[in-house]
């Protein structure tokens, strides 16, 4: 049987570390005019949504169903460090309508800073040292549908909210949200709704990312939309490297030039060798690369980059072909192979979106029609997802290995922890919990 008591104790000790980061930030949100008439602290409203997303409740109705449970409510109050409560009153968590009313205040900037500070804290703890590529942290950018707006008759009942997300990807499959910007939909000539240019969204996101991490070495991952001269020059102006999916339809002239350079330089190619399940070296594909490919806009306006092409059969025998445009130096077969490996890890951000949509977090679910409230709930969801990913990698996996349990899905672990939380609650105050150190053993290749 899974050790739910140990998992709950580990989660509580894990969250106690981050409460010291989040609670002082949450105190900066504008308070009510008369705090003596308020039952809940402002931090409690925010932790209601964070805990709701952590235990995968996925909707406001599901969160409200547990609000009157004394153990569940006491856990939220302790995480929010709310020690004042009316004597003799049964403890309850705030209803999500009250939380939405609180989130309608101007607290977006503070929650955005909390999201950045969590990732900064992880970096300072050196939890991502094994996730560096040539000394750089790899950040993937991609857009996704945030939710569908309800009852918008003036918009044809089909208005959606979209967001451009930047996530720090790792070799072990995690993708930690760093920051995001809203992007607006637009309609083509047939009145079909399209995502507003992720291109314009990236132009707004890039300076925010540079301001948040001015001295951090960064490599940007992106799909074929970003493989264009303005985005490449923007990345290089900030001192960033990049790896973008390279397709013919985006830049046909540069694509043809890269193909010609590969044909003219057969020495810039080689056989791709992997190790099979028995450790034997087997040939599984071909690599080729071209250096000095140009994207030109006029005779005096051009940009130079490198292109890597890969054709291989993956571990399951499925064929894969792709090309990547990069600013990184490609001098040998190993360099080209590394670029392709990290270029394909852009799919980790897609997997992250899939978990948030179908794993109980509630992405694409409409929590509130108000744009500001919806934006704040989305940011709290990203905070919860970041915390759970790190907790799973550093606490749950070692616990599972120690007790020699069979591998359990994360969704099942959430169910076990929620059952124990409702049955036991948090017995001690967070300051009385024993200090736990996260295990870095599982944060490796």
């Amino acid at each position: 049987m899974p050790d739910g008591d140990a998992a709950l104790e580990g989660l509580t000790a894990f969250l106690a570390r981050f409460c010291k980061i989040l609670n002082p930030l949450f105190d900066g949100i504008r308070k009510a005019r008369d705090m003596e008439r308020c039952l809940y602290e402002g931090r409690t409203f925010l932790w209601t949504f964070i805990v709701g997303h952590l235990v995968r409740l996925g909707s406001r109705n599901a969160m409200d169903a547990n609000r009157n449970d004394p153990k569940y409510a006491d856990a939220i109050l302790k995480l929010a460090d709310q020690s004042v409560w009316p004597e003799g009153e049964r403890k309850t968590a705030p209803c999500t309508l009250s939380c939405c009313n609180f989130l309608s205040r101007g607290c977006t900037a503070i929650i955005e800073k909390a999201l950045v500070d969590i990732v900064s804290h992880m970096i300072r703890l050196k939890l991502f040292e094994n996730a560096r590529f040539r000394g750089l942290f790899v950040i993937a950018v991609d857009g996704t549908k945030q939710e569908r707006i309800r009852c918008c008759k003036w918009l044809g009942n089909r208005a959606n909210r979209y967001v451009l997300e930047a996530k720090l990807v790792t070799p072990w499959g995690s993708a930690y949200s760093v920051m995001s910007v809203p992007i607006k939909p637009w309609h083509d000539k047939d009145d079909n709704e399209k995502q507003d240019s992720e291109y314009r969204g990236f132009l707004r996101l890039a300076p925010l990312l540079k301001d948040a991490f001015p001295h951090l070495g960064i490599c940007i991952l992106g799909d074929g939309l970003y493989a264009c001269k303005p985005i490449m020059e923007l990345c290089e102006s900030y001192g960033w490297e990049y790896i973008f999916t390279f397709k013919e339809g985006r830049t046909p002239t540069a694509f043809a030039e890269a193909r010609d350079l590969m044909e003219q330089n057969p020495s810039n190619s080689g056989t791709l060798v992997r190790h099979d399940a028995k450790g034997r070296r087997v040939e599984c594909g071909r690599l080729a690369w071209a250096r000095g490919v140009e994207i030109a806009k006029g005779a005096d306006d051009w940009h130079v980059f490198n292109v890597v092409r890969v054709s291989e059969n993956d571990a399951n025998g499925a064929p894969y072909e792709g090309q990547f445009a990069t600013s990184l130096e490609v001098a040998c077969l190993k360099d080209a192979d590394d670029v392709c490996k990290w270029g394909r890890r852009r799919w980790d951000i897609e997997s992250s979106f899939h978990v948030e949509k179908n794993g109980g977090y509630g992405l694409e679910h409409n929590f509130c029609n108000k744009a500001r409230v919806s934006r704040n709930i989305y940011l709290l969801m990203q905070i919860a997802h970041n915390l759970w990913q790190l907790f799973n990698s550093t606490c749950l996996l070692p616990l599972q290995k120690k007790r020699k349990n069979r591998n359990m899905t994360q969704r099942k672990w959430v169910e076990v922890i929620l059952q124990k939380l409702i049955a036991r609650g948090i017995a001690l105050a967070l300051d009385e919990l024993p200090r736990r150190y996260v295990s870095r053993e599982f944060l490796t290749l």
Side-chain angles (χ1 to χ4, degrees):
M1 293 292 292
D3 193 345
D5 293 331
L8 175 60
E9 183 181 349
L11 178 61
T12 307
F14 173 83
L15 292 178
R17 176 193 295 268
F18 289 93
C19 288
K20 298 177 181 178
I21 301 173
L22 294 175
N23 287 337
L25 283 173
F26 292 162
D27 282 338
I29 299 175
R30 180 170 59 87
K31 301 183 183 298
R33 295 179 180 177
D34 188 0
M35 288 300 298
E36 294 182 357
R37 300 179 59 188
C38 295
L39 182 60
Y40 302 104
E41 295 280 350
R43 302 182 299 269
T44 309
F45 294 113
L46 301 180
W47 276 103
T48 298
F49 271 113
I50 293 176
V51 174
H53 292 309
L54 269 175
V55 295
R56 313 286 180 94
L57 296 180
S59 69
R60 286 173 53 184
N61 285 338
M63 295 179 191
D64 285 336
N66 292 316
R67 65 177 293 261
N68 290 322
D69 185 275
K71 299 292 186 181
Y72 181 84
D74 183 62
I76 292 178
L77 295 175
K78 285 183 177 179
L79 291 172
D81 195 22
Q82 177 174 337
S83 57
V84 178
W85 188 261
E87 186 177 353
E89 291 287 336
R90 181 178 180 176
K91 289 186 176 179
T92 61
C95 70
T96 55
L97 179 59
S98 298
C99 296
C100 289
N101 290 335
F102 181 80
L103 291 174
S104 63
R105 304 176 183 180
C107 54
T108 304
I110 291 177
I111 302 178
E112 288 175 340
K113 187 177 186 307
L115 183 59
V116 172
D117 283 0
I118 284 178
V119 177
S120 299
H121 182 70
M122 295 177 184
I123 293 174
R124 288 194 298 270
L125 289 178
K126 299 186 181 300
L127 298 178
F128 299 141
E129 290 303 297
N130 293 325
R132 290 177 183 261
F133 173 49
R134 299 189 186 181
L136 306 172
F137 291 99
V138 182
I139 294 181
V141 292
D142 198 16
T144 187
K145 177 183 172 183
Q146 179 182 332
E147 65 182 0
R148 185 183 182 90
I149 306 174
R150 298 192 301 261
C151 303
C152 292
K153 296 182 179 179
W154 60 92
L155 295 176
N157 279 325
R158 54 178 175 73
N160 298 314
R161 290 193 180 101
Y162 297 94
V163 65
L164 179 67
E165 186 74 35
K167 289 179 180 280
L168 191 152
V169 298
T170 65
W172 51 89
S174 300
Y176 296 88
S177 177
V178 178
M179 62 175 53
S180 63
V181 294
I183 52 179
K184 297 179 180 179
W186 60 279
H187 297 82
D188 60 15
K189 62 181 180 180
D190 298 325
D191 203 32
N192 296 317
E193 188 176 75
K194 302 290 185 180
Q195 267 185 252
D196 155 73
S197 209
E198 290 181 27
Y199 168 85
R200 293 190 182 92
F202 185 77
L203 296 181
R204 300 193 302 271
L205 177 69
L208 300 176
L209 186 61
K210 183 63 177 179
D211 289 342
F213 302 98
H215 307 296
L216 193 68
I218 291 176
C219 178
I220 300 293
L221 296 186
D223 56 24
L225 174 69
Y226 301 91
C228 62
K229 179 177 174 293
I231 298 293
M232 292 177 177
E233 289 184 340
L234 178 64
C235 291
E236 293 191 1
S237 68
Y238 287 144
W240 299 341
E241 305 291 349
Y242 58 81
I243 302 175
F244 298 143
T245 304
F246 191 55
K247 295 185 177 181
E248 183 176 9
R250 182 59 167 154
T251 52
T253 304
F255 188 91
E257 181 183 353
R259 180 185 57 207
D260 294 339
L261 287 174
M262 291 178 190
E263 293 176 354
Q264 294 169 10
N265 298 279
S267 60
N268 291 349
S269 62
T271 302
L272 192 59
V273 178
R274 297 274 190 258
H275 289 88
D276 62 8
K278 297 182 179 180
R280 297 172 299 188
R281 292 170 58 87
V282 295
E283 297 181 0
C284 59
R286 294 283 299 175
L287 278 171
W289 62 92
R291 302 170 65 183
V293 180
E294 295 182 0
I295 289 183
K297 186 178 180 182
D300 300 326
D301 190 7
W302 47 273
H303 185 80
V304 177
F305 59 98
N306 302 322
V307 175
V308 179
R309 182 176 66 197
V310 60
S311 176
E312 66 170 318
N313 294 325
D314 60 19
N316 297 322
Y320 172 80
E321 292 187 6
Q323 295 194 76
F324 300 96
T326 181
S327 61
L328 295 163
E329 180 65 23
V330 182
C332 60
L333 187 66
K334 183 180 184 306
D335 291 344
D337 189 20
D338 290 341
V339 168
C340 292
K341 285 180 180 178
W342 279 96
R344 296 185 67 178
R345 286 188 178 123
R346 189 194 68 81
W347 280 99
D348 288 343
I349 192 172
E350 302 283 2
S351 301
S352 176
F353 290 146
H354 175 75
V355 171
E356 292 179 30
K357 292 176 182 178
N358 304 297
Y361 286 94
L363 185 60
E364 291 193 351
H365 175 77
N366 186 291
F367 286 91
C368 184
N369 253 19
K370 294 181 179 179
R372 174 182 288 180
V373 178
S374 175
R375 169 74 176 157
N376 291 336
I377 294 175
Y378 173 80
L379 292 171
L380 294 174
M381 182 192 304
Q382 300 309 310
I383 290 175
H385 190 211
N386 283 357
L387 293 176
W388 176 264
Q389 287 183 100
L390 186 61
F391 169 69
N392 176 67
S393 300
T394 60
C395 298
L396 275 187
L397 291 179
L399 176 64
Q400 199 162 258
K401 179 181 179 180
K402 179 179 179 181
R403 294 184 61 84
K404 299 180 180 180
N405 290 338
R406 295 183 60 187
N407 291 334
M408 284 178 54
T409 63
Q410 296 183 39
R411 192 70 178 269
K412 186 61 180 178
W413 270 118
V414 170
E415 293 178 6
V416 172
I417 291 174
L418 180 59
Q419 291 173 0
K420 292 296 182 179
L421 178 64
I422 294 176
R424 285 185 49 197
I426 299 177
L428 300 174
L430 297 186
D431 293 338
E432 299 175 2
L433 290 170
R435 179 77 178 270
R436 294 289 182 87
Y437 292 92
V438 296
S439 172
R440 296 183 177 86
E441 176 186 357
F442 292 87
L443 298 178
T444 61
L445 296 175

